[in-house]
Amino acid sequence: MTGNLILVAIIGFAGGLSVGAGFVAFLTVLGLLPRLTQLTKTTKMIHYYEWAVVFGVLAGGWLGLQGNVLHWNQYVLPIIGVANGIFNGMLAAALTEVLNVFPILSKRIGIQDKMVYLIMAVVFGKVIGSLFQWIYFVNL
């Protein structure tokens, strides 16, 4: 029994290390954080972004493993949700910019002159999808 627990702990630790290493490689190779600071004109604060990602991953991992429910005030949760949405949206925008997704996509489907419509479609789709999730699936 103790041998099984040790084996599961080793496998879990190895899996966590591989996922963490993949995430760090993803952020490093694509240069998302430097590009995010460049887009927001906050290059001097890149260390804060890096530490925010590290502590966010650690806190999210720890809370995910605990299974605790945080009974926060209904007025605090929208603030946290907006901050989370802003950060994830900016990270996604930096990712698409780094990978040049929109220019390649617009060239392939032949709408180079309507790039603004393509970007706004993604933005509104994200907003409507998030609102749909919050209205129908989240019980406050």
Side-chain angles (χ1 to χ4, degrees):
M1 185 67 171
T2 304
N4 288 343
L5 290 175
I6 292 173
L7 180 64
V8 168
I10 291 172
I11 292 172
F13 185 71
L17 281 178
S18 64
V19 169
F23 182 69
V24 168
F26 173 73
L27 291 177
T28 304
V29 169
L30 294 179
L32 288 181
L33 291 179
R35 184 63 181 148
L36 181 63
T37 60
Q38 185 180 21
L39 288 174
T40 58
K41 296 180 177 69
T42 55
T43 308
K44 295 177 184 176
M45 301 173 65
I46 191 167
H47 297 296
Y48 295 116
Y49 283 95
E50 292 169 349
W51 282 109
V53 169
V54 168
F55 287 128
V57 167
L58 287 174
W62 180 255
L63 289 174
L65 291 173
Q66 294 303 310
N68 295 334
V69 177
L70 301 176
H71 298 285
W72 285 351
N73 189 341
Q74 65 181 352
Y75 301 109
V76 174
L77 289 177
I79 296 169
I80 294 170
V82 167
N84 187 13
I86 289 171
F87 181 75
N88 287 330
M90 290 174 60
L91 200 61
L95 175 61
T96 57
E97 175 126 359
V98 167
L99 295 177
N100 292 326
V101 170
F102 289 139
I104 293 170
L105 179 64
S106 67
K107 184 183 273 188
R108 298 270 172 139
I109 60 178
I111 58 167
Q112 292 101 340
D113 55 340
K114 295 185 173 67
M115 180 77 89
V116 173
Y117 297 123
L118 178 65
I119 293 172
M120 293 311 292
V122 171
V123 168
F124 287 128
K126 190 76 170 146
V127 168
I128 291 169
S130 296
L131 286 175
F132 179 78
Q133 179 186 1
W134 275 94
I135 291 170
Y136 289 107
F137 295 118
V138 176
N139 298 323
L140 291 177

